[in-house]
Amino acid sequence: MTSRTSTRTLLWALLASIVVLYAFPFGYLVLTSLKPPTDAIAVPPTVLPKAWSLENYGTALATPGVIPSFINSTSTAVISTVLSVLLAVPAAYGITRYGTASGRIFVMLALVTRMVPPVAVGVPLVNLMSRAGITDTPTALALAHTTISLPLSIWLMASFFEAVPSSLEEAAQVDGCSRLQAMVRVVVPVVGGGIAVTAIFAFLASWNEFLFALLLTAVRAQTTPIVIANFQTQYGLQWGPMTALATLYSVPVVLFTLLLQRRIVAGMTLGAVKG
Amino acid sequence: MSHNSGLSRRDLLKWTGVSGLAVMATACGAGGTTSGSGAGGAKALSVLVEAGGKAELTKIAEAFTEKTGAKVTFIELPYDGLFNRLSSELSSGTLSFDVAALDAIWLTAFAGAVRPLTELFTADVKADLFPALVTEAQVGGQFVGMPVWTNAEILFYRKDLFEDAGEQAAFKKKHGYELAPPTTWEQFNDAAAFFTRDGKLYGTDVKGAVETEFLAHVLQAGSPGVVLDATGQVIIDNEQHLKALTFYSDLDNKLKVSPPGAEQLDWAGAQNLFNQGKTAMMRFWAHAFPLIPKDSPVHGKVGVAPMIGGAAGVAGIPGPWYLSVPKATKQADLATEFVKFAYDNNAMAIESSLGLAARKSAFEQYADKPGYEHFEPLLETLNATATKPRPATAKWQQIVDTVLIPTLQQSLTPDADYAALLAAAKGKVQSLAQ
Amino acid sequence: MGRADPRLPGGDVRAGDDHLRHRRRRPGRGLTDDRFALALMAPAAVFLAVFVGWPLVKLIVDSLYDIAPLAGTREFAGLGNYGEALTSPGFLGAAGRTALYTMLVVTLEFTLGLAVALLFNALGRRARWIRTLFLYPLMIAPVVAGLLWRFLLIDNFGIVNELLTRLGIIGGPDAIGWLSDPDIVLFSVALPDIWLTTSFMALVLFAGLQNIPGDVLEAARLDGSGPWHTLTRVTLPLLRPVIAVALVVRGIDAARAFDVILIQTNGGPQSASETLSLLIYRTMVRFGEPGLASAMGTLYLIAMLGVALIAVATIWRPGKVVR
């Protein structure tokens, strides 16, 4: 009995140390953002601020383009999420419900899409967007981001649909629903939670994306990850304001996901997906 | 849970309709930057700049708007993103800008896609620009960019240390001459070794992640050019390059007067070390002098001097940015007018956070004022006869990234064979420059 | 509210359309199931064809040309670019580093993730809040994570070396040049990636563990199997499908790593952290050689597909899991 308790204690201690190691980096980022700019890069560094200061936040928010970039990040992510869900839901339904050869081929192709290095399609995409006359708009960036999130979304939605017994829409069809109606009115509402999970992942994929944003935006559609990287200019790097902006950009999603953690865990474990 | 998130087909169609409309609406709005310049309407100009350089042009742009009524918008991008944007837009001909600020090293690559500005370069203009800049602005016999601001490395040193009576006496005793801001490599080595104190203070820094400083030393050694000579021959293995590399890397390898991590030390890192009081001397871009933070331990204790000199005397690599007008812009006249205006009102750029200009007269106007102590050394460095621009080759960036920086980093190991490294570098540069 | 409401403004036309469809379909069942499924997949398929397929075709076509974007010239070069890529030490080096980086990330994530998952499993429900905490790095942008770790590891003012020194583990703050020593930099740039996604591994494996029926493990225990034996002979084989998915997904992501490395070292020092993504990006947009970059991209894609397919075939083994 005692040996069992001590094993328990050991396990907890192990876990606690992992947690500290895990929480530390982000905690240090937040603490650094609250130091005066010069202290932020002091040699040698300190963990806790010697003085607390919001100066870095002031500088970061006063930097032109920062606030619009938040709006751009949000609108890009929203457009991309909506598009992704709208395309993924019927596609995943078609794949899982009818088990056709075309469906299997499509799943394979969608998987292949996921293997495409963004850097390989980035530049052709830029040309495509500029031919369509939509470069430097949240829409163009959202379209690009959807190429990343759509395969994920299809994969996720397919797992959710698979969990729904097909007797459900059979019953609906007996009641006189068409196949489309059975899908839209009966099955889709049942996987509402799954759609929410899919949407969260699509949103995060877009919110955090860097390469396409770098290639596809200039001034009007610039998202925050680019602005964060912009603090590194040719002649210097403003660590202080950069940590402040990085904190501001991360805190909402971190809080948001902690609130919705159960759904996210469900999504990840179901589809084995990384957002 | 399922009720709210359920979408009916009608909702679905409505949403697709809406997002479809959104696509179209933005599509119509997008091309507007350059095409909106129709007759009669308000004039507008877009200027593409690197994130750090926008401040330089802000005042000038405001004055330009006041004078001409044309609204000036800036497109800011990170350094890497800027080059990429330039090359993709200039090659496709679909532009989001009418004027671009180009780093000197990109001029050759983009020369074919920008309008010649030769008519702006009158004798007076050329006389008021530093000789290296006049040379650099010409590609294939045409002037392709107008310098807006230029930088060069000068010597930063800790006045409090160099003027300390105890330090002066100790230095004289050790080296047999008066302690003063060094003007030569030998003096620099002496002072750097003298101020290196077991981990608390280092004589200077050695930057392995950037190449320009090493190239300045190459010119100081009297090389006819850096990496390539005027005819395009690869000269990276000449005697002067070897001398410069030996001087540069021995600071770290043999004298050990620099902080750890030299291989990945870049400008920002070096600047921070100096501002934190960890290095006694720093070779750095002049603009940094007024930017030493008030809460830095060395604030008010920093002196500036011209860049150090070698056998050929003082020399630096100018770091200018040029304004160019792409051929494909629909507002060529207005854009050219802006470039001329920026030259005419060049001194306005000095009252910005970067605080640099391109004209001698603009620098001279401010050189006597307090807070502009760095202008005199900067002028001297830029006017030095050995100061030269980097070679005009479209492959420069690639030479820097794939040959120069790796070579420098390899040289920063204790047993490095400098001559062998340069010989290997020569082969790589030749295969790139073909 | 989402339920169909025929009185929605603008809904009339569509409602009519609905009736039309019913009439068309009901008698002869209209579309076959196959066609119906196809119609449902079509929008997504068209989207992917336009925004991924077309750029890929462009990539492959471009890889056959010598292109000078600024001069605007384009000459057919056959497989010349492929030859150039396959003989260039830069490309081969980057390919090796990409493979090493991927192995490193996936191995460490898997080992740590499995350890944490087993811990969670041993501690049961009480570890729930910790599972929540474990989730947060997954939400952080790779750019932010890269910057953060660069800041933690940077020479001279990185906190990691400072803390290690104070703990007496290393001799001084300059003992390890995380980001400046070419021998270890590939490992250092992998740290943020590992930090970001070990949680993913842990949570997926944890879910897999929870699905293993208790009586199977109990039976193993009664057979006298030790914990290590149970893990390697019973638990891991049962987890095989989950492990396969997790490894493939993470492997693909790690092999494409771009922003974390770009922001930390930009591929340096001495190109020691330059992976294929970085090299292709550079060749494409910084050196202006889209032809060569496209050939590299195509080779990269082929390699990814090949490795992923082999991985799926060998470790996934869909179907019945062997006991």
Side-chain angles (χ1 to χ4, degrees):
Chain A
M1 213 54 210
T2 38
S3 88
R4 206 150 167 194
T5 339
S6 66
T7 320
R8 271 281 134 109
T9 323
L10 188 74
L11 288 182
W12 276 105
L14 205 60
L15 200 62
S17 52
I18 295 174
V19 166
V20 170
L21 280 179
Y22 237 75
F24 176 73
F26 193 70
Y28 185 61
L29 178 78
V30 176
L31 287 172
T32 302
S33 71
L34 295 167
K35 294 174 186 171
T38 314
D39 277 6
I41 47 176
V43 187
T46 56
V47 175
L48 290 174
K50 284 179 219 148
W52 299 86
S53 158
L54 287 175
E55 196 185 332
N56 289 325
Y57 287 87
T59 315
L61 289 176
T63 306
V66 165
I67 293 174
S69 80
F70 271 91
I71 298 169
N72 287 332
S73 280
T74 312
S75 46
T76 304
V78 167
I79 297 174
S80 168
T81 306
V82 169
L83 194 59
S84 207
V85 168
L86 285 181
L87 292 173
V89 168
Y93 185 84
I95 291 163
T96 47
R97 275 323 199 225
Y98 293 95
T100 58
S102 57
R104 281 191 294 274
I105 294 169
F106 184 60
V107 171
M108 280 306 291
L109 286 178
L111 259 171
V112 169
T113 316
R114 188 160 157 68
M115 290 173 201
V116 174
V119 69
V121 290
V123 171
L125 262 180
V126 172
N127 296 336
L128 188 68
M129 300 299 179
S130 73
R131 248 188 253 175
I134 54 169
T135 41
D136 199 18
T137 60
T139 311
L141 187 55
L143 288 170
H145 285 168
T146 307
T147 65
I148 301 172
S149 54
L150 184 56
L152 290 182
S153 304
I154 292 174
W155 195 354
L156 267 177
M157 282 316 302
S159 338
F160 286 116
F161 279 127
E162 265 164 17
V164 178
S166 53
S167 54
L168 202 65
E169 62 253 64
E170 276 157 21
Q173 282 182 350
V174 169
D175 284 354
C177 279
S178 71
R179 283 168 300 189
L180 194 64
Q181 284 169 325
M183 170 187 129
V184 172
R185 298 198 185 156
V186 180
V187 185
V188 167
V190 169
V191 295
I195 293 177
V197 171
T198 309
I200 292 171
F201 277 93
F203 187 91
L204 280 173
S206 169
W207 181 260
N208 289 341
E209 203 277 339
F210 180 76
L211 178 58
F212 284 152
L214 182 66
L215 292 171
L216 280 164
T217 67
V219 60
R220 283 164 297 167
Q222 213 161 54
T223 55
T224 311
I226 305 299
V227 179
I228 294 175
N230 258 347
F231 277 105
Q232 181 162 24
T233 68
Q234 194 198 3
Y235 295 119
L237 203 166
Q238 295 173 272
W239 277 113
M242 191 150 82
T243 53
L245 189 54
T247 306
L248 283 179
Y249 196 63
S250 311
V251 163
V253 282
V254 169
L255 289 181
F256 176 72
T257 44
L258 292 187
L259 285 175
L260 295 172
Q261 52 107 357
R262 240 198 266 182
R263 287 193 163 182
I264 292 166
V265 173
M268 260 186 326
T269 46
L270 246 180
V273 182
K274 193 256 163 204
Chain B
M1 82 175 190
S2 53
H3 251 70
N4 286 341
S5 24
L7 277 172
S8 73
R9 191 176 66 95
R10 205 161 279 115
D11 282 350
L12 197 124
L13 285 169
K14 214 165 52 171
W15 268 103
T16 13
V18 169
S19 54
L21 276 178
V23 171
M24 283 169 62
T26 33
C28 298
T33 335
T34 43
S35 56
S37 62
K43 294 183 285 182
L45 209 58
S46 293
V47 182
L48 184 65
V49 288
E50 194 245 352
K54 182 187 156 190
E56 282 285 313
L57 287 166
T58 311
K59 279 224 162 86
I60 293 172
E62 282 164 8
F64 185 72
T65 306
E66 208 163 287
K67 185 179 161 230
T68 63
K71 194 172 171 305
V72 180
T73 10
F74 288 101
I75 302 176
E76 271 182 283
L77 284 179
Y79 189 79
D80 274 340
L82 182 60
F83 179 80
N84 158 39
R85 177 58 51 90
L86 280 163
S87 69
S88 68
E89 292 200 4
L90 288 177
S91 53
S92 71
T94 337
L95 293 176
S96 61
F97 58 88
D98 310 297
V99 177
L102 305 182
D103 187 348
I105 61 171
W106 301 334
L107 274 182
T108 320
F110 297 133
V114 299
R115 293 167 63 89
L117 297 170
T118 309
E119 77 271 21
L120 296 183
F121 282 76
T122 61
D124 285 348
V125 170
K126 282 189 245 181
D128 203 16
L129 291 170
F130 300 98
L133 271 57
V134 177
T135 314
E136 192 169 50
Q138 297 175 74
V139 178
Q142 293 279 11
F143 285 91
V144 293
M146 174 62 81
V148 253
W149 72 87
T150 184
N151 216 339
E153 276 196 272
I154 57 172
L155 180 71
F156 289 62
Y157 63 94
R158 288 278 298 281
K159 252 189 330 198
D160 57 331
L161 297 173
F162 276 81
E163 288 168 6
D164 181 273
E167 302 284 8
Q168 286 176 338
F171 184 88
K172 185 156 189 202
K173 197 169 155 217
K174 191 171 171 204
H175 293 288
Y177 63 96
E178 298 290 340
L179 176 63
T183 57
T184 66
W185 292 4
E186 295 73 25
Q187 292 173 5
F188 187 80
N189 279 342
D190 287 349
F194 178 73
F195 282 115
T196 300
R197 286 160 199 183
D198 52 58
K200 291 195 184 63
L201 181 66
Y202 295 92
T204 189
D205 58 69
V206 174
K207 310 172 186 80
V210 290
E211 78 296 348
T212 347
E213 188 168 293
F214 159 65
L215 299 177
H217 293 314
V218 170
L219 292 177
Q220 290 156 17
S223 178
V226 292
V227 184
L228 305 176
D229 68 7
T231 64
Q233 291 302 305
V234 183
I235 53 168
I236 194 170
D237 59 339
N238 73 10
E239 184 197 340
Q240 291 88 349
H241 279 80
L242 180 59
K243 277 189 181 152
L245 186 62
T246 309
F247 166 66
Y248 193 72
S249 298
D250 272 357
L251 285 168
D252 190 57
N253 292 339
K254 300 232 163 72
L255 291 176
K256 304 193 188 302
V257 294
S258 55
E263 283 200 51
Q264 274 293 74
L265 192 68
D266 58 6
W267 300 118
Q271 186 182 14
N272 185 43
L273 284 166
F274 186 77
N275 287 349
Q276 298 281 349
K278 291 286 145 187
T279 47
M281 296 183 290
M282 163 174 81
R283 295 150 289 174
F284 205 79
W285 302 99
H287 79 280
F289 178 67
L291 297 184
I292 297 168
K294 288 215 169 48
D295 53 353
S296 151
V298 302
H299 184 79
K301 300 175 186 167
V302 175
V304 276
M307 186 59 170
I308 52 174
V314 170
I317 299 278
W321 283 70
Y322 293 83
L323 289 184
S324 294
V325 179
K327 277 183 182 156
T329 178
K330 290 173 188 144
Q331 313 208 70
D333 292 342
L334 189 64
T336 312
E337 195 183 335
F338 180 78
V339 173
K340 184 167 187 313
F341 188 85
Y343 172 82
D344 290 340
N345 297 281
N346 194 242
M348 282 184 171
I350 290 179
E351 310 237 339
S352 70
S353 58
L354 199 57
L356 294 168
R359 292 172 62 175
K360 294 178 193 174
S361 59
F363 280 120
E364 281 157 3
Q365 205 179 316
Y366 280 83
D368 299 336
K369 299 189 183 171
Y372 293 94
E373 288 84 358
H374 55 303
F375 278 8
E376 205 49 63
L378 179 62
L379 277 165
E380 194 176 320
T381 308
L382 284 170
N383 275 322
T385 48
T387 292
K388 287 190 181 67
R390 285 156 285 184
T393 162
K395 293 279 181 187
W396 182 251
Q397 187 72 61
Q398 203 163 352
I399 293 174
V400 168
D401 286 1
T402 62
V403 184
L404 290 183
I405 290 176
T407 303
L408 274 185
Q409 290 173 331
Q410 279 162 14
S411 78
L412 292 172
T413 43
D415 314 314
D417 179 347
Y418 301 144
L421 285 173
L422 289 176
K426 181 179 189 177
K428 289 183 206 152
V429 175
Q430 275 169 335
S431 70
L432 283 176
Q434 282 151 9
Chain C
M1 112 209 205
R3 299 297 169 110
D5 173 2
R7 311 280 164 249
L8 267 181
D12 298 352
V13 184
R14 303 246 159 78
D17 187 42
D18 243 4
H19 291 304
L20 206 76
R21 275 200 203 177
H22 286 195
R23 245 179 289 141
R24 219 182 328 118
R25 199 182 301 129
R26 281 264 167 73
R29 256 323 247 170
L31 293 167
T32 62
D33 278 356
D34 210 0
R35 292 246 173 104
F36 181 65
L38 214 55
L40 289 174
M41 290 181 263
V46 168
F47 181 90
L48 289 177
V50 172
F51 292 102
V52 182
W54 187 83
L56 276 181
V57 170
K58 184 107 174 55
L59 179 83
I60 294 165
V61 171
D62 279 356
S63 73
L64 302 174
Y65 285 85
D66 243 343
I67 305 166
L70 289 167
T73 59
R74 207 181 152 85
E75 281 167 35
F76 186 73
L79 294 176
N81 287 322
Y82 289 90
E84 194 180 338
L86 288 171
T87 53
S88 104
F91 178 77
L92 298 175
R97 282 187 293 272
T98 308
L100 190 61
Y101 177 88
T102 310
M103 295 285 289
L104 206 62
V105 167
V106 173
T107 315
L108 282 171
E109 277 184 9
F110 176 69
T111 318
L112 291 173
L114 182 64
V116 172
L118 290 169
L119 262 179
F120 282 164
N121 203 38
L123 292 171
R125 294 185 67 85
R126 278 167 298 170
R128 190 184 219 159
W129 64 272
I130 297 183
R131 292 209 300 275
T132 306
L133 186 82
F134 243 66
L135 205 61
Y136 90 91
L138 282 172
M139 311 307 152
I140 289 176
V143 170
V144 171
L147 279 172
L148 169 56
W149 278 87
R150 177 170 170 208
F151 193 58
L152 295 171
L153 297 176
I154 198 162
D155 288 298
N156 297 305
F157 61 94
I159 193 83
V160 167
N161 276 357
E162 180 70 19
L163 293 178
L164 290 178
T165 310
R166 278 197 225 157
L167 293 173
I169 297 173
I170 59 173
D174 54 342
I176 308 177
W178 294 104
L179 298 173
S180 59
D181 181 345
D183 296 334
I184 58 166
V185 70
L186 199 63
F187 169 75
S188 309
V189 292
L191 285 174
D193 220 345
I194 296 167
W195 178 72
L196 278 177
T197 38
T198 296
S199 341
F200 164 77
M201 278 285 188
L203 292 170
V204 169
L205 293 174
F206 174 69
L209 284 173
Q210 299 241 296
N211 287 339
I212 296 179
D215 51 352
V216 175
L217 297 175
E218 186 62 20
R221 205 177 60 82
L222 290 177
D223 283 352
S225 160
W228 179 251
H229 194 257
T230 314
L231 177 68
T232 52
R233 292 298 163 84
V234 182
T235 313
L236 287 183
L238 284 174
L239 281 179
R240 190 193 275 276
V242 178
I243 293 174
V245 175
L247 289 184
V248 170
V249 167
R250 279 305 304 141
I252 290 171
D253 280 347
R256 303 190 302 183
F258 175 78
D259 32 11
V260 268
I261 304 178
L262 181 86
I263 222 83
Q264 286 190 96
T265 60
N266 203 1
Q270 299 173 39
S271 307
S273 56
E274 189 176 69
T275 57
L276 280 176
S277 281
L278 266 90
L279 178 70
I280 294 170
Y281 175 80
R282 237 178 235 233
T283 312
M284 180 94 82
V285 303
R286 203 163 148 96
F287 302 156
E289 293 191 33
L292 179 60
S294 301
M296 292 174 171
T298 309
L299 290 169
Y300 182 20
L301 179 66
I302 293 170
M304 291 264 281
L305 287 176
V307 173
L309 287 180
I310 293 169
V312 169
T314 52
I315 49 176
W316 202 325
R317 287 200 211 147
K320 290 271 173 279
V321 179
V322 225
R323 173 60 47 96

